[in-house]
Amino acid sequence: MTPAFPALTAWSDLPRLNVDKFFERFPVIDAAYEAGETGLTDGDIDDLEFIVISGDVSISQEQAREMEAALELEENWTLRIAVDGSVRVDGGTDALFAVSGNLYCNWLGIDKAWASFSVCGRVFASDCVFVSASDEGWMLDLPATRIDTPLLFLWNFKPDNIDLNPDAVMFVLGFEWWGSTLPNRCYAHQQMIHVIDSRFLKPYTCINTEEDIWDSRAIINALAAGESIYRAGVDLRCEQAMDAAGAAMASADFRLGHVRYKQAAAMAPAYYPATMGMADAMRAGQAYAQAFDLYLEASKLFPPEQTGLVNEALNAAARLALRLGRLELARELATQSIDFTQVSHWNDQPLTQAYWIRGEASIAQGDFAAAERDLAQALRFDADQPQPNWLMGFLCFRRGEHDQARAFHAKAARHWLQNGYYDVASTYVVGFNPVSVDWDQIDPASLAPA
């Protein structure tokens, strides 16, 4: 619960301290300045003035906007505002340079200028916190920060230095992302498009996008109005069942994995990963015909506005159509995937798989010219992919071009390490023995909750 603080009556006419007096008042910032952590330079620090609001205080939204407007005026570029105590801000503000106690707000935006002294206590944001590096490159380490919030959005910042409440949900973007040591539920990159409603996402064209994909202002406004930012038909409580399903799959209990994914899909019927997981479990159990139907179902749950990302369910369905001998359907599904994935000019790699799947269907149909065109496209996008190299070698072999076949197969083998094509690609041309299972008849409610 937010404590009640006295309301701030006036702020602009408060006495202004020079840097020496300010450092006496805030020795932690003096130490940070000496360590080069404040962003303040020797050339301009003597021109700075500091307004210090003493004691615990509550700042209205109107006052916060006045402060922000004042700091944006050219004649006030030397002005900084600090609170020597704890502060409650209605809404959020970028105006405060430092807070010696706790900061209570509805939302907070943090950028790469954030430092360990920015809030010496803890941030309590009732709606959300955005942490943005606002540039490209390596993910940055956020200074030790203490945050309580339901939703945390991170762009190009690692979360591991954050002392975060364990029930917070994190959303992460960053070129160098390998996961978090925090126990929090985390959605990174493509995962978040299956959770956040499209109204709160900015358009982007591929998984390696250079820009934020969330619309922070739209999210702030929606949360302030008491609205959910999640997609209709998505309930994050399904993630416990998703975790249990993943554990079952890891232990090769595909039947249990399918039922747990089915539990998740029952709680969140619009959640693409849950239906995709059901299909993956069926495929792992070699129930290919049943997996095919589930992949088609999952493909329809993929957010249709995300045309820069691969609908993996379409590609998986196309590959199973190959294995089931439904060659024309395999070509059609691969073509849908190609048409759907309208990637940017600097990253065509996501198109590779759909092209080599369609190429393989053409080989099976005897249309070698069409196969060569598609496999050449796949190799143009990603020359080291083993599957199109193997298939191009197979095509050359079928045409009697044995030297070229050996060259392509040698290249494929170099990139498969110890696995052969049969183990990795599971394709139509090598055949298979499908089975049927009764897992889809099991009522997920008959299992204890995950």
Side-chain angles (χ1 to χ4, degrees):
M1 180 178 294
T2 303
F5 294 145
L8 178 66
T9 54
W11 64 273
S12 58
D13 56 352
L14 291 174
R16 301 189 180 193
L17 306 181
N18 62 27
V19 66
D20 293 330
K21 294 294 185 182
F22 179 75
F23 281 166
E24 288 178 12
R25 188 81 174 264
F26 287 81
V28 65
I29 303 181
D30 187 13
Y33 170 70
E34 293 297 332
E37 298 172 357
T38 62
L40 305 176
T41 64
D42 293 336
D44 61 18
I45 191 168
D46 290 336
D47 296 327
L48 294 181
E49 292 183 309
F50 298 85
I51 292 179
V52 177
I53 302 170
S54 299
D56 299 340
V57 66
S58 178
I59 299 176
S60 69
Q61 201 166 46
E62 182 180 358
Q63 289 170 326
R65 289 172 182 163
E66 287 177 2
M67 291 178 180
E68 291 168 4
L71 297 182
E72 289 175 1
L73 294 176
E74 185 176 353
E75 59 267 27
N76 279 330
W77 71 270
T78 59
L79 185 62
R80 300 290 188 275
I81 302 172
V83 174
D84 191 2
S86 294
V87 57
R88 161 71 203 182
V89 180
D90 292 335
T93 182
D94 297 323
L96 298 179
F97 177 63
V99 176
S100 67
N102 296 330
L103 170 61
Y104 300 85
C105 55
N106 298 98
W107 60 269
L108 181 67
I110 298 173
D111 61 22
K112 62 182 178 181
W114 185 265
S116 57
F117 61 79
S118 297
V119 175
C120 295
R122 194 170 187 89
V123 173
F124 294 89
S126 59
D127 291 342
C128 56
V129 172
F130 295 88
V131 186
S132 175
S134 303
D135 61 7
E136 304 172 21
W138 296 94
M139 293 188 76
L140 305 177
D141 290 311
L142 189 69
T145 305
R146 294 154 293 279
I147 296 177
D148 271 53
T149 189
L151 299 170
L152 177 64
F153 298 85
L154 297 164
W155 182 58
N156 265 12
F157 267 113
K158 301 175 186 177
D160 294 348
N161 286 341
I162 303 175
D163 179 0
L164 183 66
N165 54 305
D167 56 334
V169 178
M170 297 195 304
F171 297 92
V172 179
L173 285 176
F175 290 107
E176 301 293 336
W177 171 252
W178 296 282
S180 167
T181 60
L182 298 182
N184 299 75
R185 181 67 58 189
C186 180
Y187 299 92
H189 297 292
Q190 186 173 345
Q191 293 175 320
M192 70 180 66
I193 70 169
H194 303 301
V195 176
I196 300 179
D197 190 272
S198 60
R199 293 178 297 136
F200 306 107
L201 298 178
K202 297 179 181 179
Y204 70 119
T205 56
C206 64
I207 199 167
N208 293 319
T209 178
E210 296 180 9
E211 61 184 23
D212 290 331
I213 70 163
W214 47 69
D215 186 335
S216 55
R217 179 50 57 185
I219 289 173
I220 288 168
N221 290 341
L223 295 175
E227 300 174 13
S228 170
I229 66 167
Y230 298 129
R231 300 183 73 90
V234 171
D235 186 335
L236 298 193
R237 288 175 295 182
C238 77
E239 291 293 2
Q240 289 184 323
M242 293 289 290
D243 291 343
M249 295 291 287
S251 63
D253 189 342
F254 306 129
R255 174 186 177 278
L256 179 59
H258 179 274
V259 179
R260 289 300 190 190
Y261 280 126
K262 193 174 181 180
Q263 282 183 323
M267 285 185 278
Y271 192 36
Y272 172 88
T275 303
M276 186 75 174
M278 292 167 61
D280 288 341
M282 284 289 190
R283 183 176 66 177
Q286 298 185 342
Y288 299 118
Q290 292 160 287
F292 174 81
D293 292 336
L294 285 168
Y295 280 127
L296 283 185
E297 184 180 340
S299 72
K300 297 171 185 175
L301 296 176
F302 195 92
E305 69 278 1
Q306 300 297 343
T307 52
L309 295 174
V310 177
N311 185 341
E312 298 289 356
L314 273 177
N315 285 348
R319 289 179 65 181
L320 285 182
L322 273 172
R323 304 197 75 187
L324 295 166
R326 303 170 69 178
L327 304 180
E328 197 55 44
L329 180 57
R331 285 178 56 88
E332 178 186 333
L333 292 170
T335 300
Q336 287 181 30
S337 180
I338 291 168
D339 292 343
F340 184 83
T341 310
Q342 303 164 3
V343 299
S344 65
H345 68 278
W346 57 276
N347 185 4
D348 293 318
Q349 196 277 335
L351 283 169
T352 302
Q353 187 179 33
Y355 271 109
W356 68 252
I357 291 172
R358 193 168 72 175
E360 184 175 355
S362 295
I363 293 175
Q365 290 178 312
D367 190 347
F368 293 169
E372 184 172 21
R373 287 194 298 271
D374 280 340
L375 295 174
Q377 280 286 74
L379 291 172
R380 182 175 72 84
F381 295 148
D382 192 343
D384 293 329
Q385 273 286 323
Q387 290 92 341
N389 275 293
W390 192 95
L391 288 167
M392 190 68 92
F394 183 76
L395 174 62
C396 291
F397 176 79
R398 292 283 296 271
R399 294 191 302 204
E401 301 164 354
H402 295 165
D403 288 343
Q404 294 95 317
R406 278 191 290 269
F408 279 112
H409 282 168
K411 188 171 184 180
R414 285 197 299 272
H415 292 284
W416 264 320
L417 302 177
Q418 70 224 18
N419 295 318
Y421 184 73
Y422 178 81
D423 300 317
V424 176
S426 303
T427 62
Y428 167 75
V429 288
V430 296
F432 72 112
N433 295 309
V435 301
S436 179
V437 296
D438 64 353
W439 305 344
D440 53 357
Q441 302 302 312
I442 301 173
D443 183 358
S446 64
L447 289 185

